[in-house]
Amino acid sequence: IDEFCLRVSRELRDTSFAALNEHRFLTPPAIECEGEGESARFHTRDIQLSRYSDGMSLLANFSHEPFTFEGHSVGPYDWVAWRV
């Protein structure tokens, strides 16, 4: 397991049994295609927010630019989680 997946596992372990209360796209999804034909890969370039029943919020940044929401900053291709 790589460091990114290990971080997800550690920080969101308790939330894995919580209900997803809300999921939103904070920016319009922009879809990019890498490659052609059957080997083509599609990527979204957007910011998404998920809120769970245990009070956990998760801000995921799939874009090239840093983003701040409700005082929480997240770098490009990264995520940040907080509990309310």
Side-chain angles (χ1 to χ4, degrees):
I1 190 167
D2 64 20
E3 288 299 317
F4 187 87
C5 292
L6 184 59
R7 183 175 150 224
V8 170
S9 174
R10 285 184 176 151
E11 290 191 39
L12 301 177
R13 185 169 293 151
D14 294 337
T15 299
S16 64
F17 296 103
L20 177 64
N21 289 344
E22 176 187 7
H23 184 82
R24 299 193 274 164
F25 290 87
L26 300 179
T27 60
I31 300 172
E32 294 180 0
C33 180
E34 180 182 298
E36 295 180 14
E38 291 184 22
S39 64
R41 291 191 216 172
F42 295 89
H43 308 278
T44 62
R45 299 290 178 229
D46 54 29
I47 314 294
Q48 298 179 29
L49 173 71
S50 298
R51 296 189 194 265
Y52 297 88
S53 62
D54 67 348
M56 181 68 75
S57 293
L58 177 69
L59 181 63
N61 184 350
F62 298 99
S63 77
H64 304 290
E65 301 294 327
F67 189 82
T68 300
F69 178 77
E70 295 181 347
H72 300 277
S73 296
V74 61
Y77 313 108
D78 202 1
W79 59 273
V80 63
W82 68 93
R83 211 177 278 284
V84 277

